[in-house]
Amino acid sequence: MSRAARGAAFRQAAGFNYDFKPLVSSVNERKRMTKVSSKLLTLVGSVLVSLTLIGSAIAASGYPINKPREVDWSFAGPFGKWDLGQLQRGLKVYTEACSACHSLSILHYRNLTDLGYTEDQIKNYINDLGKEVTDGPNEDGEMFQRPAQLQDRFQGPYANLKEAAAANGGAVPPDMSLLAKARAPERGFPTFIFDIFTMYAENGPDYIYSLLTGYKEPPEDKEILDGLHYNPYFAAGTALAMAQPLYDEQISYDDGSPETLDQYAKDVSAFLMWASEPGLPDRKQRGFIVIVFLAIFAGLLYFTKKKVWAGVPH
Amino acid sequence: MSGHSTYTPKTKFGKFWDDRLPIYRLVHDSFVTFPIPRNLNSFYTFGGILMIMLVSQIITGIVIAMHYVPEASMAFNSVQDMRRDVAYGHTLQTWHAVGASFFFIAVYIHIFRGLYYGSYKAPREILWILGVIIYLLMMATAFMGYVLPWGQMSYWGAQVITSFFSAIPLIGQTLHEYLLGGYAVGNATLNRFFSLHYLLPFMILGIVILHVWTLHVTGQTNPTGVEVKSKQDVVPFTPYATIKDAFAMVVFMIVMCYFVFFLPDYLGHADNYIPADPLKTPAHIVPEWYFLPFYAVLRAVDFNIMIPFTDVVLIDSKLGGVLAMFGAIAILFFVPWLDTSDVRSANYRPLYKIFFWLFVANSVFLGYLGSRPAEGIWIPLTKASTFWYFFHFIVIMPALGWFEKPKPRPASIADSVFGKEDGSAGAAAPSGATAAPETKG
């Protein structure tokens, strides 16, 4: 039955008894209206885009000087997984280089089982660190020191922030537990819109990797204060207090991975991403199941809706 | 609109309740037989979506509140521990945080839909005002919720927003201290914000009930803006609206889940992963995205308003900014009276339609400006954009009603629907004939 015939049949069934005079809702009229509004939208859109471009050209004085370099991470994308070997190497880099100044205070030693270590291996790791924690009070009412255990949080290099500041010329080295999420240089318009569709969420590790590999001699026209180190990838200025922390062949790998600054930087950035969100692959896996379920559910609802509304002009 | 109840209890149990507390009758009349215009489009599903969002925020909120510690030195870590060690804590916490953003996405679509189809016009002024109150409460709730994780943006956002109140003459300082529970944002602030963040959603729920009640008295508007006139104009809520709303909700959930599970930090701010530090101000303090347009309005007033030809400051820039910002929200209360046109739907208002889309674009742009640092080109752009925001409400809305020549409207909803079915243009009735007095059927 044609649409018109169906409409007429319905009118009859619904008991319409007056002369039928359709008004503005003709197909042509609707088409024209859509055309006008889409033209308008295009106009508004292009004005917005050009304004934004002018704006971003002017605001280009901001930091970082260079945008972070993008790395192809194993944990990117909808099916991202940790590369356990990489995380283990990252832990080694953290332990041998970063942990002298940076704490990792939110993590527990037990979390290292995520990296594929057994409890005994983690106990050995703690013993090698030789970290002690204050416990108590004991039966005599006294606090006492004991070696760190699996259930303890990562013990930092300093007793408190004051000590950290005093040891580093006033600049407290930030805690690294959430560093990979707490550093995200602006992506700018329109990149931030494309990021939704490319599922780009690796801003943090890209930034850390770029910073670690980005140290260089300052350009001649740039004056760098004493005690600061030039890095065009630094998000808050031209130079930062931390000197270049990693160099080629500084840390030995026993799995045959290249012992280069580039590899160290990648490994420790991946490790810090893990530290900031150990459940990342589980989240993506759960998300995939949830969305597949919802998509099937939506499909069923769509066809039910079609059936319910069939023959009911609207 | 509601008409006579057609509910007849079928079981003894149903009859027992119907004689004592007719709750089944209420549900039956409100969500089964309630007549809805047959021509509602997808934009009319956002009311239902918002209802689901409120419930989802309350449920996830209650669960994560069980694991959250409202104490300044422990709040930040308690959120992280919840995400790491509580079963499903990661999903629930992200769902709640991202859910707040999607609550606002839904409410903005809902509000703009109302503005486009003139849903605020008589007899729906109270319905609209209750909606604006819900929106205000949502903003308060969202702001206080954002403070709870006690990150850098939480802390400094709280610092900035509470300082607005100190701009109020005479009582401002005292009010500010009451709000903070001290002289600066601290543990006392966190505690009272936690308490209020738990309270406000239930106040929202109460007003939502009034909002829906009002809706059921006046009936829904529809894309033609013509009131329901006969039974041919409507279909029963169930199954027609039920299935449509359910489908829309699930589609909305898919988009939201994409963010919850794949881009959980996209809508947030990286600085909030740094614990609050009262001694270290972030380079740029920005609120959550849904407040950005109002933040831009606040910053647009960077000048003192003087009594002309004197040096007397009438309103300093701080108070001026705060007044402009609250004014930008408060003006929504007056929309039913600012719009002087008899025609509801923008479909039949060629000029208003253009200005409506300009307003939408300007609001989005204002939000973008709110995220920019207050320097350079952004300052004049912010002022121009803020000016347009108010100009739209104060000048364009009233003026269009007087100057605009509306297009002819269909005589009834059924007319417009079956006109579409036939797909042929007919003789247009004079607009006067269709501008029938509003019928409250």
Side-chain angles (χ1 to χ4, degrees):
Chain A
M1 200 190 288
S2 77
R3 280 173 72 85
R6 236 186 319 137
F10 183 86
R11 274 201 305 287
Q12 207 174 6
F16 274 46
N17 49 9
Y18 54 83
D19 249 3
F20 177 69
K21 277 180 191 156
L23 300 172
V24 294
S25 297
S26 76
V27 172
N28 286 340
E29 177 71 353
R30 286 169 61 82
K31 266 189 190 154
R32 201 182 61 78
M33 281 166 22
T34 335
K35 229 177 174 177
V36 169
S37 49
S38 69
K39 258 188 195 162
L40 184 70
L41 274 182
T42 324
L43 179 74
V44 170
S46 50
V47 169
L48 273 183
V49 168
S50 44
L51 280 178
T52 325
L53 288 181
I54 299 168
S56 42
I58 291 166
S61 60
Y63 296 110
I65 298 169
N66 293 352
K67 295 212 162 191
R69 292 195 279 153
E70 289 179 27
V71 178
D72 188 15
W73 301 107
S74 70
F75 47 83
F79 306 105
K81 291 258 181 314
W82 301 125
D83 173 349
L84 287 191
Q86 182 169 52
L87 295 191
Q88 294 190 356
R89 293 195 301 272
L91 173 67
K92 197 160 195 281
V93 176
Y94 167 75
T95 311
E96 293 183 20
C98 320
S99 71
C101 301
H102 292 277
S103 54
L104 204 56
S105 63
I106 287 176
L107 289 188
H108 295 85
Y109 289 116
R110 61 175 158 80
N111 294 136
L112 293 176
T113 48
D114 287 6
L115 270 52
Y117 292 116
T118 62
E119 291 199 359
D120 286 333
Q121 283 173 312
I122 302 171
K123 281 176 187 160
N124 288 337
Y125 171 78
I126 305 173
N127 284 340
D128 289 347
L129 295 176
K131 292 281 185 191
E132 295 214 315
V133 295
T134 309
D135 202 346
N138 62 15
E139 282 164 6
D140 302 324
E142 281 159 6
M143 304 303 282
F144 58 93
Q145 295 293 110
R146 62 160 174 81
Q149 292 170 359
L150 286 173
Q151 77 275 15
D152 290 318
R153 297 209 192 243
F154 272 58
Q155 298 297 304
Y158 306 110
N160 49 54
L161 287 179
K162 290 259 163 72
E163 194 195 336
N168 291 283
V172 180
D175 181 83
M176 279 188 163
S177 320
L178 290 163
L179 202 67
K181 279 180 176 275
R183 299 289 184 276
E186 252 191 54
R187 298 276 287 168
F189 181 85
T191 319
F192 75 82
I193 293 174
F194 303 145
D195 286 348
I196 296 176
F197 303 100
T198 58
M199 224 184 250
Y200 179 77
E202 290 74 40
N203 214 352
D206 279 345
Y207 172 74
I208 296 171
Y209 164 78
S210 305
L211 186 82
L212 289 173
T213 54
Y215 283 89
K216 55 168 98 165
E217 285 301 310
E220 283 174 13
D221 59 328
K222 283 238 158 62
E223 278 215 26
I224 303 299
L225 291 175
D226 261 1
L228 292 187
H229 308 273
Y230 176 74
N231 192 325
Y233 293 96
F234 185 48
T238 44
L240 68 163
M242 177 173 76
Q244 179 171 345
L246 294 171
Y247 291 93
D248 285 346
E249 293 171 30
Q250 180 181 348
I251 293 152
S252 63
Y253 279 159
D254 46 20
D255 66 349
S257 298
E259 295 173 356
T260 58
L261 164 62
D262 190 77
Q263 190 62 39
Y264 297 147
K266 273 182 191 154
D267 293 346
V268 81
S269 303
F271 171 75
L272 290 177
M273 190 67 208
W274 167 79
S276 69
E277 194 183 356
L280 184 147
D282 304 339
R283 150 165 74 78
K284 293 186 171 182
Q285 211 170 14
R286 185 172 294 160
F288 184 74
I289 296 167
V290 167
I291 287 183
V292 166
F293 168 80
L294 285 178
I296 295 171
F297 190 26
L300 293 174
L301 283 172
Y302 174 75
F303 288 111
T304 315
K305 172 182 163 289
K306 238 179 128 175
K307 184 107 199 261
V308 166
W309 281 88
V312 183
H314 52 280
Chain B
M1 188 86 221
S2 333
H4 294 292
S5 178
T6 56
Y7 175 73
T8 37
K10 289 192 189 73
T11 59
K12 263 193 175 165
F13 182 77
K15 181 138 176 36
F16 175 89
W17 278 99
D18 203 47
D19 292 342
R20 289 160 181 82
L21 178 69
I23 193 109
Y24 292 100
R25 179 179 295 274
L26 181 73
V27 171
H28 184 85
D29 294 348
S30 311
F31 302 108
V32 180
T33 55
F34 181 69
I36 57 147
R38 57 166 67 239
N39 59 340
L40 298 185
N41 59 29
S42 315
F43 289 106
Y44 285 82
T45 58
F46 280 87
I49 289 172
L50 283 162
M51 194 89 99
I52 291 288
M53 285 310 300
L54 177 63
V55 172
S56 126
Q57 286 300 89
I58 289 178
I59 291 172
T60 51
I62 288 173
V63 177
I64 63 177
M66 294 172 186
H67 303 281
Y68 170 76
V69 186
E71 201 275 331
S73 65
M74 294 156 85
F76 185 87
N77 276 9
S78 77
V79 174
Q80 281 306 318
D81 288 347
M82 176 198 317
R83 289 168 60 96
R84 287 153 197 259
D85 293 336
V86 173
Y88 292 91
H90 190 298
T91 305
L92 287 166
Q93 195 272 339
T94 316
W95 187 283
H96 195 72
V98 175
S101 276
F102 275 79
F103 204 161
F104 275 93
I105 290 175
V107 89
Y108 283 134
I109 295 174
H110 193 62
I111 292 172
F112 280 123
R113 191 271 291 153
L115 285 172
Y116 185 87
Y117 290 118
S119 305
Y120 43 81
K121 290 183 189 181
R124 296 184 182 81
E125 301 95 328
I126 304 289
L127 179 61
W128 173 262
I129 288 172
L130 287 169
V132 180
I133 293 173
I134 294 171
Y135 176 49
L136 259 178
L137 285 174
M138 272 177 69
M139 293 174 97
T141 311
F143 158 65
M144 290 183 194
Y146 191 59
V147 174
L148 301 184
W150 213 239
Q152 272 289 69
M153 275 301 157
S154 300
Y155 182 89
W156 290 96
Q159 195 84 283
V160 170
I161 305 233
T162 52
S163 77
F164 297 161
F165 293 91
S166 66
I168 301 169
L170 302 175
I171 57 161
Q173 213 53 47
T174 318
L175 196 64
H176 184 222
E177 279 159 28
Y178 269 111
L179 202 62
L180 296 183
Y183 298 107
V185 177
N187 194 51
T189 320
L190 180 60
N191 273 283
R192 57 193 60 198
F193 278 18
F194 180 57
S195 172
L196 292 174
H197 183 70
Y198 212 120
L199 167 71
L200 290 187
F202 295 97
M203 292 176 65
I204 293 179
L205 192 62
I207 303 199
V208 165
I209 291 170
L210 293 183
H211 190 68
V212 175
W213 185 6
T214 333
L215 176 78
H216 283 229
V217 172
T218 64
Q220 280 182 284
T221 54
N222 65 85
T224 64
V226 178
E227 287 285 353
V228 169
K229 286 172 182 163
S230 68
K231 284 215 157 116
Q232 274 74 47
D233 291 344
V234 294
V235 288
F237 192 93
T238 299
Y240 296 101
T242 325
I243 190 70
K244 206 165 162 178
D245 285 357
F247 174 62
M249 281 167 196
V250 173
V251 171
F252 188 78
M253 281 291 145
I254 291 176
V255 181
M256 175 170 150
C257 285
Y258 180 78
F259 278 84
V260 169
F261 292 104
F262 298 108
L263 294 168
D265 299 315
Y266 183 86
L267 296 159
H269 198 291
D271 273 9
N272 229 26
Y273 280 108
I274 304 171
D277 184 349
L279 301 176
K280 215 167 161 187
T281 319
H284 299 296
I285 304 175
V286 280
E288 288 279 81
W289 69 266
Y290 38 82
F291 293 138
L292 287 174
F294 299 104
Y295 192 55
V297 171
L298 170 82
R299 297 192 305 183
V301 184
D302 56 359
F303 46 85
N304 295 334
I305 296 167
M306 327 278 281
I307 294 174
F309 313 114
T310 64
D311 286 340
V312 184
V313 176
L314 200 61
I315 298 172
D316 67 6
S317 59
K318 187 177 177 186
L319 180 60
V322 171
L323 286 178
M325 189 188 68
F326 283 112
I329 305 165
I331 203 158
L332 293 172
F333 284 107
F334 301 98
V335 163
W337 296 277
L338 287 169
D339 188 341
T340 52
S341 171
D342 291 338
V343 183
R344 277 207 188 86
S345 168
N347 280 349
Y348 307 104
R349 300 185 59 190
L351 290 176
Y352 177 72
K353 194 177 190 171
I354 295 171
F355 283 109
F356 169 82
W357 287 112
L358 268 179
F359 178 74
V360 173
N362 184 55
S363 302
V364 173
F365 187 52
L366 204 51
Y368 184 70
L369 291 169
S371 75
R372 301 295 88 196
E375 61 192 26
I377 183 81
W378 303 119
I379 297 173
L381 283 176
T382 305
K383 287 181 184 175
S385 189
T386 301
F387 172 78
W388 188 263
Y389 182 92
F390 286 103
F391 190 74
H392 176 87
F393 285 117
I394 297 171
V395 178
I396 291 173
M397 266 200 164
L400 280 185
W402 298 318
F403 296 120
E404 188 179 45
K405 193 176 173 309
K407 293 183 186 175
R409 278 140 286 149
S412 71
I413 295 169
D415 247 18
S416 100
V417 168
F418 301 120
K420 192 165 83 185
E421 286 285 303
D422 275 347
S424 60
S431 63
T434 54
E438 315 304 350
T439 47
K440 280 184 261 177

